[in-house]
Amino acid sequence: LRFALHKMPSLQSLVLTGHTLGSAGLAELAPALYRNTSIKVLALSGNVLCGIESARLLRDILRHNTTMIALDLSQNPFWGTAGDVECIADGLGGNSTLLKIDLSCCALGDDGVSILAQTLGSRNTTLQKLELNSNSITSTGVGVLLEAMEQSHHITDLDLQGNPIRNEGASLVARFLGNNALPFLKRLCLYDCGVGDDGFIALVSALEQNTSLVHLDLRNNCDFSERAVSALAESLP
């Protein structure tokens, strides 16, 4: 496959999901991906990419590739240690073309998302869509991420589905939305995040002042009471 990639200059999408490549397989492909000038979408979901070796290879791919705009690394548990996260974050910080990255189901917790957020806040990344669903991010990690997004002003689409941010995290999000501190954020997914009445009311109240958000997904959270629904009704006009 590595040799074939050198002979396919028009290939724009490479999907290798669920093939258990591991670090050895990724090492074989990496040289062909470093300076590839055609592949825009690379999907490596579910390939048992874990450990520092895989992280370093992914960092180098991100550093050297100048064409790729979407990278799917979901369902790879390489975010278990700080060193792995720092490697990937360093690669993102050195990339000037990537618009979308999927880090869903990557065992990413508050510490990991904080390291990632530092890169987003301190470097001029081009990233617009960040998918972090089904990790273990709480309100602590959300707070750090939002502060980084306030500095970077690039993220337009944020997916936090399935992370236990609960009312505290939702209230933090509401504060940033209400202050229009995230002026480029258009789509926000808080599906199945354990948000209850208080978080819901804070969010819908913030929408009265927010001028950027066009899509907010709050499905599959705690059953909202009449109090919460009334707050929504009052906010809509």
Side-chain angles (χ1 to χ4, degrees):
L1 178 58
R2 184 186 71 195
F3 291 125
L5 287 174
H6 288 296
K7 300 179 181 180
M8 292 187 286
S10 62
L11 187 69
Q12 294 190 15
S13 180
L14 179 59
V15 181
L16 296 171
T17 58
H19 284 285
T20 61
L21 282 173
S23 58
L26 184 61
E28 290 286 346
L29 287 176
L33 297 172
Y34 287 157
R35 292 178 175 79
N36 182 277
T37 57
S38 66
I39 295 176
K40 297 183 182 298
V41 178
L42 177 61
L44 297 173
S45 175
N47 273 291
V48 200
L49 300 178
C50 56
I52 196 65
E53 185 177 353
S54 292
R56 285 171 177 164
L57 288 165
L58 290 166
R59 175 197 61 193
D60 291 343
I61 290 172
L62 285 166
R63 277 180 176 174
H64 297 298
N65 188 283
T66 59
T67 308
M68 188 167 52
I69 61 173
L71 176 61
D72 182 358
L73 295 176
S74 62
Q75 300 183 54
N76 288 296
F78 54 79
W79 294 86
T81 66
D84 298 353
V85 181
E86 287 170 354
C87 264
I88 304 298
D90 188 47
L92 284 172
N95 184 282
S96 60
T97 57
L98 198 67
L99 301 179
K100 172 186 174 183
I101 188 166
D102 189 343
L103 300 172
S104 304
C105 302
C106 286
L108 186 62
D110 289 338
D111 290 343
V113 81
S114 295
I115 293 171
L116 180 65
Q118 289 171 12
T119 297
L120 295 177
S122 62
R123 303 197 195 181
N124 187 26
T125 63
T126 54
L127 204 61
Q128 295 179 4
K129 184 171 183 179
L130 181 58
E131 296 191 30
L132 297 169
N133 69 67
S134 301
N135 284 294
S136 302
I137 303 167
T138 71
S139 59
T140 301
V142 167
V144 177
L145 180 60
L146 293 174
E147 289 176 1
M149 288 172 57
E150 184 179 15
Q151 297 174 41
S152 64
H153 292 311
H154 289 297
I155 304 296
T156 61
D157 192 328
L158 177 62
D159 187 350
L160 291 171
Q161 173 182 330
N163 287 283
I165 72 167
R166 309 193 192 286
N167 284 332
E168 186 178 353
S171 296
L172 279 172
V173 173
R175 189 182 72 195
F176 278 80
L177 291 176
N179 293 334
N180 284 298
L182 308 173
F184 291 92
L185 187 64
K186 295 184 179 298
R187 300 179 66 85
L188 175 62
C189 180
L190 298 178
Y191 179 107
D192 191 25
C193 286
V195 179
D197 275 1
D198 291 343
F200 181 88
I201 291 172
L203 285 166
V204 298
S205 297
L207 295 180
E208 295 179 28
Q209 287 79 42
N210 184 266
T211 57
S212 63
L213 206 65
V214 298
H215 179 89
L216 176 60
D217 189 345
L218 287 168
R219 291 174 296 156
N220 205 40
N221 281 287
C222 302
D223 291 335
F224 300 129
S225 71
E226 183 177 346
R227 179 170 67 95
V229 178
S230 295
L232 174 60
E234 292 172 4
S235 297
L236 289 176

